[in-house]
């Protein structure tokens, strides 16, 4: 077992639009901004108690740390419960149960009054502001977003750790074909370099987030997330502007995803095992090329 080589993310308290575009957006480099939300009503109001009071009666789907197997849908929740009861769990005990992509616009539109879309150089897609909730045992597997957005990720009422890898690191990460994640057997908190030797060459960026922090995640960046205690986050997304990346996004959403869903429906675990073997074979081929070129 081992630890990834990581460097801390750049941290700034505030940044101008011009500097953000020059230093981070154009070079596609992550940055954590600590002061971006401090003038929002959300900075004072967005705590678990507040969400609980606003929408406690809503029934929400919950997911855990176990990957879907065989013909199980990755979008199928493990259980449902009232949001009030789920938040009570977050406040009182560690849990791996989490809420994935809670659409603010549809589920709690009054929250739109509590924040603003930052004028920082990103053209945000305003139809999909989303919340994500997790507890002290919750993990989000290593993945990149299927629509390849430039994202601003805001965290509230808790602490979380985010590990990022640039698209250039994909060759070492055992990316599963027709998917947006790597081999799910890999523990990103304690990687097994003997079983997955290419991982030791991957270089990541680590961000430790607290209440009100905003993390810029460039398009196509891999990220794994670990909640350190109960809390929630909001993601605002900007669609990719570069024509090649926009075309890649369309392929992911309208072709790749459907190929994977259909293959999984008819072949089940055999399809998943085939993809994992292919991911390992391709990644270790990249490792051999690296060794021969060194």
């Amino acid at each position: 077992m081992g630890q990834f080589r990581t460097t801390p993310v750049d941290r700034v308290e505030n940044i101008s639009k011009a500097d953000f575009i020059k230093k981070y957006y154009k070079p596609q480099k992550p940055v954590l901004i600590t002061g971006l939300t401090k003038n929002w009503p959300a900075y004072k109001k967005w705590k678990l108690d507040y969400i609980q009071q606003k929408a406690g009666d809503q029934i929400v789907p919950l997911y855990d740390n176990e990957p879907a197997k065989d013909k199980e849908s990755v979008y199928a929740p493990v259980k449902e419960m009232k949001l009030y009861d789920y938040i009570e769990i977050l406040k009182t005990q560690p849990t791996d149960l989490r809420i994935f992509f809670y659409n603010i616009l549809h589920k709690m539109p009054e929250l739109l009054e509590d924040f603003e879309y930052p004028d920082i150089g990103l053209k945000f897609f305003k139809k999909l502001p989303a919340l994500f909730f997790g507890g002290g045992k919750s993990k989000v597997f290593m993945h990149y977003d299927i629509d390849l957005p430039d994202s601003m990720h805001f965290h509230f009422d808790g602490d979380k750790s985010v590990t990022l890898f640039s698209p250039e690191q994909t060759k070492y990460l055992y990316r599963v074909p027709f998917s947006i994640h790597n081999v799910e057997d890999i523990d990103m908190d304690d990687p097994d370099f003997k079983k997955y030797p290419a991982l030791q060459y991957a270089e990541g960026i680590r961000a430790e987030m607290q209440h009100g922090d905003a993390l810029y995640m460039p398009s196509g960046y891999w990220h794994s997330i670990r909640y350190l205690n109960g809390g929630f986050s909001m993601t605002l997304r900007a669609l990719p502007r570069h024509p090649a990346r926009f075309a890649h996004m369309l392929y992911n959403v309208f072709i790749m995803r459907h190929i994977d869903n259909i293959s999984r429906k008819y072949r089940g675990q055999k399809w998943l095992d085939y993809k994992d073997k292919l991911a390992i074979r391709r990644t270790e081929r990249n490792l051999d090329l690296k060794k021969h070129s060194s």
Side-chain angles (χ1 to χ4, degrees):
M1 302 295 183
Q3 292 293 324
F4 285 106
R5 291 184 293 170
T6 61
T7 56
V9 70
D10 283 4
R11 296 176 66 95
V12 298
E13 183 175 358
N14 290 293
I15 190 169
S16 68
K17 178 178 179 178
D19 281 347
F20 174 79
I21 293 172
K22 178 182 178 181
K23 296 179 180 179
Y24 298 103
Y25 175 68
K26 285 188 175 179
Q28 291 285 276
K29 181 181 179 182
V31 62
L32 189 144
I33 309 171
T34 61
L36 195 59
T37 67
K38 288 188 175 177
N39 292 325
W40 292 2
Y43 186 77
K44 292 183 178 179
K45 295 163 63 175
W46 281 22
K47 303 295 178 75
L48 289 170
D49 286 339
Y50 180 72
I51 303 297
Q52 196 175 35
Q53 294 164 9
K54 284 284 185 182
D57 287 338
Q58 292 187 15
I59 303 297
V60 294
L62 300 174
Y63 301 82
D64 61 16
N65 291 343
E66 293 298 318
K69 299 295 185 183
D70 199 27
K71 296 183 180 181
E72 295 173 351
S73 169
V74 295
Y75 304 107
V78 295
K79 63 172 64 178
E80 295 182 340
M81 70 173 61
K82 281 189 174 183
L83 182 58
Y84 185 97
D85 296 331
Y86 170 63
I87 290 179
E88 201 62 27
I89 293 174
L90 293 185
K91 293 193 302 184
T92 58
Q93 60 186 280
T95 179
D96 69 343
L97 293 174
R98 56 189 177 85
I99 297 177
F100 169 76
F101 217 94
Y102 179 97
N103 190 323
I104 297 173
L105 199 62
H106 295 158
K107 299 291 189 179
M108 214 187 310
E110 60 268 34
L111 294 185
L112 297 175
E113 300 175 4
D114 293 340
F115 70 89
E116 60 189 40
Y117 289 87
D119 181 20
I120 202 166
L122 299 177
K123 189 175 182 180
F124 290 106
F125 184 63
K126 297 185 178 181
K127 293 184 178 180
L128 279 179
L131 295 182
F132 302 81
F133 295 75
K137 294 182 179 179
S138 299
K139 295 182 179 182
V140 180
F141 294 110
M142 175 65 72
H143 71 288
Y144 59 92
D145 293 336
I146 194 169
D147 51 344
L148 301 176
D150 284 279
S151 297
M152 196 66 75
H153 190 69
F154 306 85
H155 193 59
F156 297 95
D157 201 9
D159 307 279
K160 71 193 304 185
S161 177
V162 182
T163 304
L164 301 159
F165 293 89
S166 74
E168 288 74 24
Q169 299 297 308
T170 300
K171 58 184 177 288
Y172 303 128
L173 294 176
Y174 295 86
R175 176 188 177 272
V176 175
F178 299 103
S179 305
I180 57 170
H181 57 80
N182 65 353
V183 174
E184 291 176 331
D185 182 49
I186 295 172
D187 183 350
M188 297 303 294
D189 293 323
D190 190 18
D192 187 341
F193 292 151
K194 289 185 178 180
K195 188 173 182 180
Y196 301 105
L199 292 175
Q200 61 192 305
Y201 296 100
E203 298 181 8
I205 299 169
R206 187 172 296 276
E208 306 296 335
M209 301 189 69
Q210 299 177 329
H211 177 81
D213 287 349
L215 176 63
Y216 168 58
M217 296 192 292
S219 174
Y221 259 69
W222 293 83
H223 45 283
S224 66
I225 296 172
R226 182 162 54 91
Y227 288 82
L228 304 180
N229 40 52
F232 62 102
S233 301
M234 176 178 71
T235 295
L236 303 180
R237 312 158 86 82
L239 295 180
R241 295 185 186 180
H242 191 280
R245 194 164 288 273
F246 190 81
H248 192 181
M249 180 270 289
L250 294 176
Y251 165 76
N252 286 352
V253 173
F254 295 108
I255 298 176
M256 183 189 77
R257 180 172 62 174
H258 294 294
I259 291 173
D260 191 47
N261 288 341
I262 291 169
S263 299
R264 186 169 191 154
K265 179 179 179 181
Y266 288 101
R267 296 188 61 197
Q269 192 63 39
K270 289 182 178 179
W271 172 246
L272 301 183
D273 292 342
Y274 165 76
K275 291 195 301 174
D276 280 355
K277 289 177 182 177
L278 190 56
I280 293 169
R281 189 159 64 244
R282 288 178 175 177
T283 304
E284 292 184 352
R285 188 185 307 137
N286 293 333
L287 181 58
D288 289 339
L289 291 173
K290 178 178 178 60
K291 288 179 178 178
H292 290 150
S293 63
S294 336

